[in-house]
Amino acid sequence: LFNERFGFPLGEKSHTVTIPDEILKSPKNNVAALLRGVFDTDGSLFFDKRKAYATPYPRIDLHIDNANLTQTIFDLLTDLFKIKATITKNQSKIQINGKNAVQDFVDKIGFSNSRHSSKLALIGNL
């Protein structure tokens, strides 16, 4: 399916894979599902507990060694979903920082991975 319908190459593709136009041009809920899947598998949710923060500071992090894919995901987050995010200069990492931005991500994209959901459940509503 991925090879025949979406044109994903067989074999190693981590540095060359892109999001198919069919998905990019699909309804917003389909794009949200794609982003949810990417963050469920390759993203991390953690709470920075340094003393600089009065309470644990939530962060969502996505590190992908594919600059084009990272930029596309960043553009979808910020342009389509209006989620406040940052991207590194070398386009290898996206971060969503702070209670408001993380809550916005959870509301608009969400998580299906129980690892992430259980972390959110431990602290209740952000």
Side-chain angles (χ1 to χ4, degrees), residues 56-75:
Y57 187 75
R59 297 180 191 270
I60 298 172
D61 184 81
L62 179 68
H63 182 100
I64 300 176
D65 288 328
N66 178 330
N68 290 331
L69 181 59
T70 304
Q71 185 65 55
T72 300
I73 292 169
F74 176 78
D75 292 343

Side-chain angles (χ1 to χ4, degrees), residues 23-42:
I23 294 172
L24 292 173
K25 294 176 181 176
S26 68
K28 198 171 179 179
N29 64 320
N30 290 347
V31 177
L34 168 94
L35 292 174
R36 186 169 38 257
V38 170
F39 278 88
D40 279 345
T41 57
D42 295 326

Side-chain angles (χ1 to χ4, degrees), residues 45-117:
L45 167 67
F46 63 99
F47 298 90
D48 192 335
K49 296 178 183 175
R50 288 181 284 173
K51 291 181 182 182
Y53 303 109
T55 59
Y57 187 75
R59 297 180 191 270
I60 298 172
D61 184 81
L62 179 68
H63 182 100
I64 300 176
D65 288 328
N66 178 330
N68 290 331
L69 181 59
T70 304
Q71 185 65 55
T72 300
I73 292 169
F74 176 78
D75 292 343
L76 290 170
L77 289 170
T78 59
D79 296 342
L80 182 62
F81 290 96
K82 307 298 184 208
I83 295 171
K84 185 177 179 185
T86 60
I87 188 170
T88 56
K89 288 182 183 178
N90 66 357
Q91 298 171 314
S92 66
K93 187 176 184 180
I94 295 171
Q95 279 194 331
I96 301 167
N97 299 310
K99 180 180 177 179
N100 292 337
V102 169
Q103 185 64 58
D104 199 24
F105 176 90
V106 170
D107 292 344
K108 294 175 180 177
I109 306 297
F111 292 110
S112 294
N113 186 318
S114 61
R115 180 183 76 221
H116 300 316
S117 302

